[in-house]
Amino acid sequence: MHLGFALTALAATVALPGATALPFSNWGNRLSSVSSSLGFKNIRSAQTCADPSLARTIVQGFSSLLTSHVIDFHYVFVNLNTAQGSQEAVLWSYQGAIFKAWPTQQSFTVPLFRLAKGVGIDYVFMVGPDAQTPPVLSGFVPDGGAIVAWVYDTPVCGSVPLMSAVFANQTDHYYTTDPDEHAGLLSDGNWSDGGIVAYVLPLTTS
């Protein structure tokens, strides 16, 4: 075979022994199909993830008077408890750190809003498309500063789901990134699944 013809043939097709030749022109489509089937399309590069070193720890507080769980940065609860003074009954007990999020807007993140029903009757947390557009939920309005933190709205960049459990009789919502804890609450019979609120960074990363 003439060398020039051989190179032309090789450039047109690549085949393993006993396999059907695959034209180079189809490689892009085949690789795209394989990548999609393996889930590669959901993997972001570092250039499309918010900087994890800027994320801070979010904790959960509980008010026995309101029978409500609320999530925020730890200093917020410290300030609320001290500023109210000893005569105030609405004090927040520390329930533990649950995830990391960004205190200020970062590229590729969305705002996590706190919504309230009445005066401390119930609180829920939901993401909005931007800082000027809080989510709409019947009976609830944006509470205080409204935006608690900045999070992801899809499972990207090593994020994990922030799950909600609802205790309807006590109008309370509990938040966790631990699937076992979430399942344990649901198995109790008093709690129901509140769904995934957002996608957040775990407390520790590998």
Side-chain angles (χ1 to χ4, degrees), residues 116-200:
K117 176 185 287 186
V119 182
I121 296 176
D122 193 11
Y123 296 97
V124 297
F125 295 81
M126 299 175 65
V127 297
D130 55 61
Q132 291 72 43
T133 312
V136 177
L137 181 64
S138 179
F140 288 80
V141 296
D143 178 61
I147 297 177
V148 174
W150 293 80
V151 297
Y152 292 123
D153 59 355
T154 55
V156 295
C157 304
S159 62
V160 296
L162 174 63
M163 297 166 284
S164 169
V166 183
F167 197 127
N169 290 341
Q170 298 292 343
T171 62
D172 187 25
H173 293 73
Y174 182 80
Y175 301 90
T176 182
T177 58
D178 185 340
D180 290 333
E181 183 176 46
H182 186 254
L185 284 175
L186 300 190
S187 68
D188 176 77
N190 292 312
W191 297 82
S192 60
D193 184 12
I196 295 175
V197 175
Y199 292 89
V200 298

Side-chain angles (χ1 to χ4, degrees), residues 10-181:
L10 179 61
T13 61
V14 173
L16 296 175
T20 302
L22 175 64
F24 276 166
S25 61
N26 289 337
W27 275 26
N29 292 336
R30 292 294 182 91
L31 289 175
S32 176
S33 176
V34 170
S35 296
S36 295
S37 67
L38 293 177
F40 291 166
K41 63 182 179 180
N42 291 327
I43 298 177
R44 288 190 182 184
S45 68
Q47 287 73 34
T48 57
C49 295
D51 186 349
S53 70
L54 300 178
R56 298 294 180 261
T57 301
I58 294 283
V59 305
Q60 189 154 221
F62 177 73
S63 167
S64 58
L65 178 67
L66 302 176
T67 317
S68 290
H69 286 89
V70 170
I71 55 177
D72 215 318
F73 295 99
H74 188 235
Y75 74 85
V76 173
F77 294 107
V78 172
N79 180 62
L80 283 173
N81 285 344
T82 301
Q84 290 180 118
S86 60
Q87 301 303 313
E88 296 289 343
V90 184
L91 297 178
W92 297 92
S93 62
Y94 176 69
Q95 298 277 289
I98 49 177
F99 64 89
K100 287 189 174 183
W102 292 268
T104 58
Q105 183 175 6
Q106 305 294 315
S107 298
F108 319 112
T109 62
V110 294
L112 179 65
F113 286 85
R114 181 176 63 249
L115 307 178
K117 176 185 287 186
V119 182
I121 296 176
D122 193 11
Y123 296 97
V124 297
F125 295 81
M126 299 175 65
V127 297
D130 55 61
Q132 291 72 43
T133 312
V136 177
L137 181 64
S138 179
F140 288 80
V141 296
D143 178 61
I147 297 177
V148 174
W150 293 80
V151 297
Y152 292 123
D153 59 355
T154 55
V156 295
C157 304
S159 62
V160 296
L162 174 63
M163 297 166 284
S164 169
V166 183
F167 197 127
N169 290 341
Q170 298 292 343
T171 62
D172 187 25
H173 293 73
Y174 182 80
Y175 301 90
T176 182
T177 58
D178 185 340
D180 290 333
E181 183 176 46

